[in-house]
Amino acid sequence: MKTYEKPVVIENEDLAEGVFAASGDSGSSSDCWTVSGRSVQDWNGSHNVFEMSAIHSTGVVHITTQVTFNYTFSTPVTDAYAEAGFSTTVSGNTVTVVRDLHANGYNSGDSVTFKLWVKAADEATTKAIALNSISYTCRHETNVQGGND
Ligand SMILES: [Zn+2]
């Protein structure tokens, strides 16, 4: 004996439009990463070594092509560099680290941890340097549906 199962039609048009709308904005935002940082070695012979972390919100859906982190320290920085090939520039007390992304995927839930070597005027100042604040800019682009590159 067979029982008749009514076919279920899944209407997903609204869902697809929702995804497109959420990812279709281009510009930048400063409310989508959770950022932190701390010194893991106050003197390595030349620099104070910081470990920086950033986690992208899972509640925001957009394609990120670049994120710029601005780390402001307690004293002027004379030299800084980051691992992983991120470009690093120094201006006064602030070190700017740029992470370029070439992914086509959504950035939701992305996370990154990297070390940042920071040097101040002398050994004592370098050892005492503290991370005062972090800001960032997340640049995102219009989604290209079906694009492959
Ligand atoms: Zn973002």
Side-chain angles (χ1 to χ4, degrees):
M1 198 165 90
K2 292 180 75 175
T3 56
Y4 176 73
E5 293 182 14
K6 184 181 179 183
V8 176
V9 177
I10 298 172
E11 177 56 69
N12 61 7
E13 186 180 335
D14 290 345
L15 177 63
E17 285 178 355
V19 169
F20 184 83
S23 59
D25 58 327
S26 63
S28 63
S29 44
S30 299
D31 57 356
C32 50
W33 290 87
T34 299
V35 291
S36 61
R38 65 191 176 95
S39 174
V40 292
Q41 184 184 2
D42 67 356
W43 182 249
N44 74 344
S46 61
H47 290 69
N48 192 322
V49 186
F50 282 78
E51 186 173 274
M52 307 305 191
S53 296
I55 301 171
H56 199 272
S57 168
T58 55
V60 181
V61 180
H62 51 225
I63 292 177
T64 302
T65 53
Q66 186 184 76
V67 57
T68 301
F69 299 107
N70 301 300
Y71 299 101
T72 300
F73 293 90
S74 54
T75 54
V77 175
T78 59
D79 181 59
Y81 60 95
E83 67 178 340
F86 301 157
S87 83
T88 305
T89 54
V90 176
S91 177
N93 291 28
T94 300
V95 178
T96 299
V97 178
V98 177
R99 182 190 184 214
D100 282 308
L101 299 165
H102 305 288
N104 282 328
Y106 298 108
N107 201 221
S108 183
D110 187 19
S111 69
V112 59
T113 300
F114 60 93
K115 289 201 170 58
L116 183 67
W117 287 264
V118 180
K119 185 178 185 176
D122 53 31
E123 180 176 341
T125 312
T126 298
K127 284 180 176 176
I129 198 165
L131 178 59
N132 282 356
S133 64
I134 308 172
S135 64
Y136 60 87
T137 302
C138 184
R139 193 180 74 189
H140 42 91
E141 306 295 340
T142 303
N143 187 17
V144 179
Q145 292 288 322
N148 294 297
D149 56 31

